[in-house]
Amino acid sequence: MSRTRTAILAAMALVAGATGAAVAAAPADVGIAAIPCTVDYQVQSQWSTGFTAAVTVTNNSAAKSSWAVKWSYAGNQQVTSGWNAKLTQSGTAVTAANETYNGTLATGGSVSFGFNGSYSGTNALPTSFTLDGVTCNVDDGGGTDPDPGTPSNRVDNPYAGARVYVNPEWSAKAAAETGGSRISSQPTGVWLDRIAAINGVNGGMGLRAHLDAALQQKGTGELVVQLVIYNLPGRDCAALASNGELGPTEIDRYKTAYIDPIAAILADTKYAGLRIVTTVEIDSLPNLVTNTGSRPTATPQCDVMKANGNYVKGVGYALGKLGDVPNVYNYVDAGHHGWIGWDDNFGASADVFKQAATAEGATVGDVHGFITNTANYSALKENNFTINDTVAGKSVRESKWVDWNRYTDELSFAQAFRNQLVTVGFPSGIGMLIDTSRNGWGGAARPAGPGATTTVDTYVDGGRYDRRIHVGNWCNQSGAGLGERPVAAPAAGIDAYVWMKPPGESDGSSTAIPNDEGKGFDRMCDPTYTGNPRNNNNLSGALANSPLSGHWFSAQFQELMRNAYPAL
């Protein structure tokens, strides 16, 4: 997510808030018509010596055939390269002028450009912009703040310049495994997958205990705590292994017994110094697009959840309540490329996310970003083939593996889907997270180069890192390995690679196991299962002898370490 500067610079007063931040206050008689132009300046990613910024200018005056935007820095920032504008700098003053192809700017029209810059010390945001010499205001691009009275010190990218919380419970399990000490200090997500998890299950750590431990780990620096919010009514309507405790109609209980207590704990001023990242309701909203109606993948359970609207209402309520806490950063789960990378699913999923982000009092401003590949196995980057390759007269999209998807890997999908989300109305500075906990696909089976060019299938299958039988397979996949280690700002538009799914925790049991956790038995976790329309009737590719979802699976943990890429 980007930092953004919000200030109406015409006929307004700047008042200092309790935190010392400048807060804009506009007189009641200042209307939109009086504002000649708006500028949305956002820092998309930032590191110790540099940053990437995106600027969107909206013209509310007469149409233009050319334009120039100017601003000045308070510090020593220097523009080093740019795109979609001709950028020049003299001292602290910067001018961005149109290129030959984007000079036309209609009344009400917008134009965007971006650049990379360097700095040292503090990267203070510009406070004044002009368009062709006329002073503009600065728009936050995110709609109205759901609670304008709550000061927020949210940073552009919560992972930048911060360490990330190491869950002591997961760390102990990892360290107890042979060779596990090599990764036991890695940060992983804390899953709040039922109401009881808030206070702790079977003597385990509850939410407050984790936050207290995080304060100890924090010391004097910045620390991110990663929480998975995962308990919707009728949860996981297409995957029985992770069904939840709440029935399809229990939206009120979800709100009052689950979200409200979590929000109350996170709002405790004791934890105000932590950066709390939430992954909101994995594997929920995409189901409303892909597994409903007349599609062959539809399930009655997903049709029920689409009809009653409780996925949309639940996510909206969670975003609004958690977004009211100034140090919470909400990231909505956005599936993965092998789920919503097809044309029929791509735009429709973004629309559903927008619907949820504006439900139950939430706004798009409550969304700091999105996360893809949560608890999944899609390769981060396929280097041995691209979506544009053609073999024996056929496009890679025609291969059985890609099957007309527009994306071959998770990085290209996440970056493209981010743009789609902005198109439907999310702030232009949203950031993406990618879960790389189990998508390394290293070991002896990792191809060293492209496959044979005999057919498009031999080319793709011989070169792909992702060794699953089918991209729709999701449960305890055989041959998987640890992926990229958690890191901040690894690529354009990506806030971090994370291990949101703790390696070694099962996706589901390979046989039916009676339990009091509301978890069912999904045949996709049975290695003998021959499939369904969601994996094109292929074998499940799951490991045998797996325990219930969330329970420790030693054999899988060992395989993940063996097949890690980069190798341990």
Side-chain angles (χ1 to χ4, degrees):
M1 172 86 176
S2 296
R3 283 190 318 173
T4 182
R5 175 78 178 186
T6 304
I8 295 181
L9 298 167
M12 55 175 284
L14 286 176
V15 293
T19 62
V23 180
D29 61 351
V30 175
I32 290 295
I35 301 172
C37 46
T38 60
V39 175
D40 178 359
Y41 176 105
Q42 301 193 355
V43 177
Q44 293 187 305
S45 61
Q46 180 171 301
W47 52 99
S48 59
T49 59
F51 64 100
T52 300
V55 182
T56 299
V57 184
T58 302
N59 173 37
N60 296 321
S61 301
K64 300 174 181 293
S65 58
S66 63
W67 51 266
V69 178
K70 296 183 179 182
W71 69 89
S72 293
Y73 285 116
N76 60 3
Q77 296 95 326
Q78 291 289 318
V79 174
T80 56
S81 63
W83 48 93
N84 292 339
K86 297 172 182 173
L87 288 124
T88 57
Q89 184 168 357
S90 177
T92 60
V94 179
T95 299
N98 63 276
E99 296 280 8
T100 55
Y101 55 81
N102 63 358
T104 301
L105 189 52
T107 303
S110 298
V111 66
S112 298
F113 58 90
F115 61 91
N116 293 320
S118 64
Y119 78 100
S120 62
T122 302
N123 185 16
L125 295 162
T127 59
S128 178
F129 292 82
T130 63
L131 174 61
D132 294 340
V134 177
T135 300
C136 302
N137 82 305
V138 182
D139 180 22
D140 68 358
T144 343
D145 191 306
D147 182 4
T150 303
S152 172
N153 292 322
R154 291 190 186 97
V155 296
D156 158 30
N157 178 356
Y159 291 87
R163 292 182 298 114
V164 186
Y165 175 62
V166 177
N167 180 346
E169 294 182 313
W170 175 82
S171 181
K173 291 175 183 176
E177 292 278 348
T178 301
S181 59
R182 292 174 294 174
I183 64 166
S184 59
S185 61
Q186 290 291 351
T188 55
V190 174
W191 287 55
L192 302 174
D193 62 352
R194 47 189 150 150
I195 293 167
I198 299 171
N199 292 319
V201 178
N202 297 327
M205 296 172 70
L207 178 55
R208 280 194 179 275
H210 281 294
L211 295 176
D212 289 340
L215 289 175
Q216 292 297 314
Q217 291 184 22
K218 179 180 184 297
T220 58
E222 298 293 344
L223 187 84
V224 171
V225 179
Q226 301 176 128
L227 305 177
V228 178
I229 307 300
Y230 186 47
N231 199 33
L232 274 178
R235 189 180 75 190
D236 279 11
C237 57
L240 298 175
S242 43
N243 281 170
E245 64 185 348
L246 300 180
T249 63
E250 292 188 89
I251 185 66
D252 291 338
R253 190 174 177 219
Y254 175 79
K255 293 177 179 179
T256 60
Y258 180 68
I259 293 298
D260 288 354
I262 292 173
I265 293 170
L266 299 186
D268 189 330
T269 55
K270 177 182 182 181
Y271 307 121
L274 298 171
R275 298 177 181 178
I276 301 170
V277 164
T278 62
T279 290
V280 178
E281 295 297 354
I282 66 169
D283 290 352
S284 59
L285 296 176
N287 277 313
L288 302 182
V289 175
T290 63
N291 296 320
T292 56
S294 60
R295 295 192 181 213
T297 55
T299 70
Q301 296 91 336
C302 290
D303 283 329
V304 166
M305 299 318 300
K306 184 173 183 177
N308 68 24
N310 284 342
Y311 277 7
V312 168
K313 294 173 188 174
V315 170
Y317 188 82
L319 291 174
K321 291 290 288 189
L322 301 175
D324 284 347
V325 183
N327 55 313
V328 166
Y329 300 78
N330 287 322
Y331 288 81
V332 180
D333 185 80
H336 54 88
H337 91 275
W339 188 356
I340 59 175
W342 281 272
D343 293 344
D344 288 350
N345 303 339
F346 193 78
S349 294
D351 291 340
V352 169
F353 296 148
K354 173 70 177 300
Q355 181 187 2
T358 52
E360 299 291 304
T363 76
V364 292
D366 289 313
V367 179
H368 204 79
F370 290 78
I371 179 169
T372 75
N373 206 45
T374 311
N376 209 264
Y377 298 86
S378 295
L380 180 66
K381 179 64 178 171
E382 292 282 10
N383 293 319
N384 292 328
F385 60 94
T386 77
I387 203 70
N388 299 314
D389 291 350
T390 299
V391 176
K394 289 192 173 183
S395 163
V396 157
R397 293 189 69 203
E398 297 180 70
S399 67
K400 290 178 181 178
W401 173 255
V402 178
D403 192 25
W404 297 102
N405 201 310
R406 287 204 179 273
Y407 304 95
T408 60
D409 53 40
E410 210 56 27
L411 179 58
S412 63
F413 165 75
Q415 291 171 323
F417 196 58
R418 178 187 174 280
N419 292 337
Q420 180 67 23
L421 291 160
V422 172
T423 298
V424 302
F426 286 96
S428 61
I430 54 171
M432 305 296 286
L433 306 177
I434 301 176
D435 188 347
T436 59
S437 59
R438 304 184 301 180
N439 71 346
W441 296 103
R446 185 178 178 89
T453 56
T454 313
T455 67
V456 71
D457 286 324
T458 57
Y459 176 69
V460 170
D461 289 340
R464 60 182 168 95
Y465 299 141
D466 187 337
R467 304 314 297 171
R468 284 179 292 178
I469 298 169
H470 188 272
V471 73
N473 288 352
W474 55 267
C475 192
N476 301 324
Q477 290 300 285
S478 176
L482 302 167
E484 291 285 342
R485 314 308 179 249
V487 63
I494 310 298
D495 281 353
Y497 296 152
V498 298
W499 284 7
M500 202 59 72
K501 173 72 173 182
E505 291 190 1
S506 174
D507 294 319
S509 59
S510 52
T511 57
I513 299 176
N515 66 92
D516 60 359
E517 301 175 29
K519 294 169 182 174
F521 167 52
D522 195 304
R523 290 294 306 280
M524 287 295 289
C525 300
D526 175 0
T528 68
Y529 182 50
T530 54
N532 56 50
R534 285 189 291 282
N535 79 335
N536 205 23
N537 297 298
N538 282 283
L539 282 166
S540 69
L543 293 169
N545 303 314
S546 58
L548 288 171
S549 63
H551 290 226
W552 191 255
F553 190 7
S554 177
Q556 184 193 47
F557 184 80
Q558 289 294 333
E559 183 172 76
L560 291 172
M561 290 195 297
R562 240 184 347 263
N563 295 330
Y565 190 89
L568 296 177

